[in-house]
């Protein structure tokens, strides 16, 4: 079916009724009167006032009944020699077909717009006071990768209203704003201040003097469910840098809600992650292994950091989670955070911040496979990784074997239900970076960008094999945010194996669906499941597996400690191996949404 990458609601917001998109038919940066439509020609056509647009189109683009939607083809690379000036409302997005056997995960099928010259990609501005909206959806913007692409904004200069959804911004280089320079101020009393909103976006490997990723003259952004990784501020200032506080900061009430960064990850950036000004709210962030954490500069107490993980930031062995710009004047609010620097302004005990000095951080390399609970018994987080069914990666909190209950972790279940008279109270966000729902009443929600959840059951697993083959697949991604319980722990949790044999990892129990078993199943702590058939039989072997994870072990009832999955192994004389694990979709009810609807029971039973 056709996968539309912007919904009707967004189109209405942008002021356009749905009609025919302008399809880009060449990847080259040309302006030529022919039948081909280039990206530059399409933009120039839409820059023309609507009343003046020719019904015959322009240089092969547009025409009667065409909309202000520019459609790119998935995975194609569209090259630009110089910047594109966007002077009117328009949507630029990737449109593609999917079959029933393909996934449609937003962000994984992006078309790429690449700057081959030495300039930024988009300049969003015109000479008028009235604002307009530019939507970018499922697009990868590849900066010039040269020193310097542009002075202000290595990829985008924005002086209007910009919305980014499932976008990648990478390779930008500027003096101010490696990826985006946002004016954020009104040009006159009658003009609207420019602003941008960003969700499900990866901002990586951009460089500038100040604002390694983003530079804004004032708070005028809404950033959520996004990742900032490997960006560089050569001066050591913030990756998301705001020059001044909100113009009306003295009139705000706490907590300020207009401009914010929420449910996002800052990882391995060179520079401070963010400088906090009055008028900016930071909530449910994971800020780890940057050369600096947060620079606090809120003289009016209208800037806050809440429900976040701020650990292991610094350089050359020195921890620098927090920097106070003016210790005498700063009134930044920190509420319910995990920090690892004694100099952080953690405030009153009622603010419930936790100081954890010298924590073990990553169970493995910085990115990739997470070590199991016996290989690494102390690290708080798994390495940054993007699951096969997701666009953005994240740092998953671990449930360590040393924890005696669900409240032993400094990350999990540290949210609060109500303010209880605390003037600095800030509730957790309703969802996490992946869109997974947190508890609706915020009771015992988790610090950081990721809310740990565990499915009550696992989708169908299995493989098709031919005679002489062995089925092998990994089940870890199906476990949600938990690890398998080591076999050494099984007797203590559920007693001896009822089968009368030693436990396997996960305290594996196998229940046949029909008749006797036709093979042998082995599961190890890394999630590798191996099935060896006991001969060349034809047909299927169907059985349930029951396993215990590092999280479900805390359920009181023995049966509730187990997660169940149906496994089907099909053996035939011919054919190729085919995975039977369920496929996922990037739509509104994709993998993580189904986790929310059906998968929280196993974990939330003991979040009371």
């Amino acid at each position: 079916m056709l996968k539309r990458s912007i919904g009707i609601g967004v189109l209405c917001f942008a002021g356009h009724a749905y009609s025919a998109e302008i399809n880009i038919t060449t990847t080259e940066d040309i302006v030529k009167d022919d039948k081909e439509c280039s990206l530059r020609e399409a933009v120039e056509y839409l820059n023309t006032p609507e009343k003046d647009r020719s019904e015959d189109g322009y240089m092969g683009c547009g025409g009667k009944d065409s909309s202000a939607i520019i459609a790119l083809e998935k995975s194609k690379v569209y090259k630009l020699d110089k910047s594109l000036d966007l002077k009117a409302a328009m949507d630029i997005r990737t449109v593609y077909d999917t079959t029933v056997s393909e996934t449609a995960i937003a962000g994984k099928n992006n078309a790429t717009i690449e700057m081959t010259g030495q300039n930024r990609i988009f300049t969003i501005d015109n000479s008028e006071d009235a604002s307009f909206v530019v939507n970018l959806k499922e697009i990868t913007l590849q900066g010039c990768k040269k020193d310097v692409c542009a002075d202000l904004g290595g990829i985008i200069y924005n002086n209007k209203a910009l919305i980014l959804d499932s976008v990648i911004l990478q390779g930008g280089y500027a003096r101010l704003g490696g990826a985006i320079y946002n004016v954020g101020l009104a040009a006159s009393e009658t003009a609207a201040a420019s602003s941008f909103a960003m969700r499900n976006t990866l901002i990586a490997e951009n460089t500038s003097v100040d604002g390694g990723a983003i530079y804004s003259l004032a708070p005028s952004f809404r950033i959520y469910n996004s990742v900032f990784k490997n960006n560089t501020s050569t001066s050591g200032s913030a990756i998301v840098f705001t020059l001044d506080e909100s113009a009306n900061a003295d009139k705000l009430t706490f907590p300020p809600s207009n401009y914010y960064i929420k449910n996002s990850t800052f990882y391995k950036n060179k520079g401070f992650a963010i400088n906090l000004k009055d008028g900016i709210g930071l909530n449910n962030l994971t800020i780890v292994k940057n050369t600096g954490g947060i620079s606090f500069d809120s003289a009016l107490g209208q800037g806050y950091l809440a429900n976040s993980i701020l650990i292991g930031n610094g350089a050359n062995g020195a921890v620098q989670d927090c920097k106070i710009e003016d210790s005498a004047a700063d009134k930044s609010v920190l509420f319910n955070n995990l920090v690892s620097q004694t100099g952080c302004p953690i405030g009153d005990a009622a603010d419930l911040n936790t100081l954890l000095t010298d924590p073990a951080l990553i169970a493995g390399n910085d990115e990739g496979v997470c070590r199991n609970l016996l290989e690494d018994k102390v690290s708080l987080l798994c390495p940054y990784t993007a699951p096969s069914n997701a666009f953005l990666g994240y740092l998953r909190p671990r449930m360590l074997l040393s924890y005696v209950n669900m409240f032993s972790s400094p990350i999990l279940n540290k949210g609060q239900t109500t303010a209880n008279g605390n003037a600095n109270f800030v509730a957790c966000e309703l969802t996490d970076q992946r869109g997974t729902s947190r508890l609706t009443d915020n009771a015992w929600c988790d610090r950081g960008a990721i809310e740990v959840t565990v499915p009550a059951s696992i989708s169908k697993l299995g493989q098709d094999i031919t005679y002489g083959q062995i089925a092998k697949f990994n089940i870890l991604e199906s476990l949600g945010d938990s690890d398998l319980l080591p076999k050494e722990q099984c007797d203590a949790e559920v007693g001896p194996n009822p089968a009368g044999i030693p436990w396997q990892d996960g305290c594996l129990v196998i229940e046949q669906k029909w008749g006797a078993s036709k093979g042998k199943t082995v599961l190890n702590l890394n999630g590798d499941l191996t099935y060896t058939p006991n001969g060349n039989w034809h047909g299927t072997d169907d059985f349930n597996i029951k396993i215990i994870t590092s999280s479900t072990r805390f359920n009181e009832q023995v049966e509730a400690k187990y997660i169940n999955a149906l496994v089907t192994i099909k053996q035939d004389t011919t054919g190729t191996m085919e995975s039977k694990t369920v496929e996922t979709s990037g739509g509104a009810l994709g993998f993580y949404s189904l986790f929310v609807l059906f998968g929280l029971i196993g974990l939330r039973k003991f979040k009371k």
Side-chain angles (χ1 to χ4, degrees):
M1 64 178 179
L2 183 63
K3 194 267 181 191
R4 299 291 181 187
S5 60
I6 286 188
I8 295 301
V10 175
L11 298 182
C12 293
F13 176 73
H16 303 291
Y18 176 74
S19 54
E21 299 118 332
I22 300 174
N23 293 299
I24 306 305
T25 58
T26 177
T27 60
E28 299 303 312
D29 189 9
I30 59 173
V31 177
K32 184 179 180 181
D33 192 5
D34 56 14
K35 294 182 180 180
E36 297 290 346
C37 178
S38 70
L39 178 58
R40 185 172 301 278
E41 291 168 337
V43 168
E44 290 183 358
Y45 174 72
L46 293 179
N47 282 339
T48 304
E50 190 170 358
K51 62 183 179 61
D52 298 328
R53 294 174 192 165
S54 170
E55 290 190 357
D56 296 328
Y58 169 77
M59 301 290 184
C61 298
K64 186 178 180 180
D65 298 327
S66 63
S67 70
I69 303 170
I70 296 175
L72 307 180
E73 188 176 337
K74 75 172 184 179
S75 303
K76 280 197 172 181
V77 179
Y78 298 82
K79 298 180 180 180
L80 293 178
D81 300 325
K82 58 183 180 180
S83 180
L84 277 174
D85 295 332
L86 277 55
K87 300 180 179 181
M90 63 186 74
D91 301 343
I92 303 176
R93 58 188 175 114
T94 301
V95 176
Y96 49 93
D97 295 329
T98 60
T99 67
V100 293
S101 63
E102 293 178 322
T103 58
I105 299 170
K108 298 193 77 170
N109 295 284
N110 289 8
T112 297
I113 301 174
E114 179 182 354
M115 174 54 66
T116 59
Q118 190 161 354
N119 211 324
R120 71 173 71 95
I121 292 177
F122 293 133
T123 301
I124 305 172
D125 198 7
N126 62 14
S127 58
E128 301 175 4
D129 282 351
S131 186
F132 59 83
V133 179
V134 170
N135 283 283
L136 304 178
K137 172 80 172 185
E138 292 190 75
I139 302 290
T140 294
L141 299 179
Q142 176 64 61
C144 78
K145 297 182 289 187
K146 299 180 178 71
D147 182 8
V148 173
C149 302
D151 185 56
L152 304 179
I155 296 177
I156 297 174
Y157 175 97
N158 177 54
N159 197 24
K160 294 299 177 181
L162 172 64
I163 299 173
L164 303 101
D165 189 350
S166 305
V167 169
I168 299 176
L169 300 167
Q170 62 186 17
Y173 203 132
R175 181 176 64 88
L176 301 178
I180 298 175
Y181 180 92
N182 180 59
V183 175
L185 298 173
S188 68
E189 292 183 359
T190 59
S194 66
S195 64
F196 71 89
M198 175 188 297
R199 69 174 294 275
N200 197 41
T201 292
L202 173 64
I203 309 95
E205 299 175 0
N206 301 285
T207 302
S208 75
V209 178
D210 295 325
I214 294 168
Y215 187 102
S216 188
L217 294 179
S220 58
F221 47 76
R222 298 173 179 88
I223 300 171
Y224 51 105
N225 298 38
S226 294
V227 172
F228 294 79
K229 187 164 71 76
N230 295 331
N231 300 285
T232 299
S233 169
T234 58
S235 69
S237 68
I239 299 304
V240 177
F241 183 89
T242 307
L243 183 63
D244 293 315
E245 71 280 351
S246 292
N248 62 344
D250 59 336
K251 297 180 178 62
L252 296 173
T253 58
F254 189 86
S257 58
N258 285 341
Y259 302 114
Y260 51 76
I261 307 175
K262 300 177 178 179
N263 283 331
S264 295
T265 297
F266 288 76
Y267 188 53
K268 297 199 70 180
N269 298 285
K270 294 180 180 178
F272 280 83
I274 308 160
N275 70 318
L276 181 65
K277 293 282 188 176
D278 284 307
I280 300 175
L282 308 176
N283 199 19
N284 282 117
L285 304 182
T286 297
I287 302 172
V288 176
K289 295 196 75 172
N290 308 281
T291 58
I294 303 292
S295 174
F296 293 96
D297 188 14
S298 172
L300 299 174
Q302 294 297 336
Y304 70 85
L305 173 72
N307 304 306
S308 294
I309 300 170
L310 181 63
I311 57 175
N313 300 285
N316 302 318
V319 178
Q320 197 164 26
D321 291 335
C322 307
K323 177 183 177 183
I324 314 302
E325 294 297 335
D326 185 342
S327 58
D330 183 68
K331 296 180 181 178
S332 301
V333 174
L334 275 75
F335 176 79
N336 191 36
N337 303 287
L338 174 64
V339 298
S340 61
Q341 180 185 346
T342 56
C344 287
I346 59 175
D348 298 333
D351 289 346
L352 301 169
N353 297 287
T354 300
L355 174 64
L356 188 64
T357 58
D358 196 27
L361 292 177
I362 308 297
N365 298 323
D366 288 339
E367 299 187 35
V369 177
C370 192
R371 290 176 180 164
N372 65 51
L373 292 174
L374 291 183
E375 292 172 335
D376 186 321
K377 299 180 180 181
V378 294
S379 293
L380 297 176
L381 302 165
C382 281
Y384 179 91
T385 187
S388 61
N389 46 35
F391 166 46
L392 294 180
Y394 53 89
L395 298 163
R396 174 172 70 84
R398 303 172 79 218
M399 183 60 68
L400 302 179
L401 296 176
S402 59
Y403 297 160
V404 297
N405 57 48
M406 284 297 297
F407 300 93
S408 299
S409 166
I411 295 173
L412 277 67
N413 300 321
K414 289 300 182 286
Q416 300 299 309
T417 307
T418 58
N420 291 324
N422 189 329
N424 292 333
F425 174 78
V426 179
C428 286
E429 297 303 309
L430 296 180
T431 61
D432 74 353
Q433 179 183 300
R434 305 167 299 185
T436 302
S437 289
R438 302 178 192 265
L439 288 188
T440 55
D441 62 359
N442 290 301
W444 317 124
C445 66
D446 300 339
R447 287 169 171 159
I450 299 302
E451 182 78 6
V452 172
T453 58
V454 180
S457 62
I458 302 173
S459 299
K460 184 178 178 180
L461 303 170
Q463 277 185 351
D464 291 357
I465 58 175
T466 58
Y467 291 172
Q469 290 184 326
I470 296 173
K472 296 180 180 180
F473 49 89
N474 192 281
I475 70 169
L476 280 189
E477 281 193 9
S478 300
L479 301 182
D481 299 322
S482 290
D483 298 282
L484 287 170
L485 190 69
K487 57 190 175 184
E488 292 83 357
Q489 306 288 320
C490 294
D491 278 349
E493 289 295 337
V494 292
N497 192 333
I501 58 176
W503 284 113
Q504 294 192 49
D505 289 316
C507 310
L508 178 68
V509 173
I510 297 174
E511 297 176 339
Q512 290 298 134
K513 292 290 289 183
W514 327 109
S517 172
K518 299 179 181 180
K520 181 181 180 181
T521 300
V522 176
L523 179 65
N524 67 27
L525 199 55
N526 295 319
D528 299 314
L529 188 147
T530 301
Y531 176 90
T532 304
N534 58 9
N536 290 335
W537 45 262
H538 176 77
T540 64
D541 192 359
D542 302 287
F543 53 93
N544 282 318
I545 61 171
K546 300 169 61 176
I547 51 178
I548 299 178
T549 72
S550 56
S551 297
T552 60
R553 67 188 170 109
F554 292 117
N555 277 328
E556 294 181 1
Q557 300 298 319
V558 170
E559 195 59 32
K561 296 176 184 288
Y562 283 95
I563 299 177
N564 301 283
L566 173 65
V567 180
T568 296
I569 305 297
K570 181 179 179 181
Q571 185 174 230
D572 205 343
T573 56
T574 59
T576 57
M577 185 178 293
E578 178 184 352
S579 174
K580 294 298 184 181
T581 54
V582 67
E583 291 189 340
T584 61
S585 169
L589 287 177
F591 180 78
Y592 288 112
S593 296
L594 291 177
F595 258 28
V596 172
L597 293 175
F598 304 114
L600 300 182
I601 299 172
L603 179 64
R604 298 309 182 186
K605 283 181 179 177
F606 33 75
K607 282 202 168 187
K608 295 181 179 179

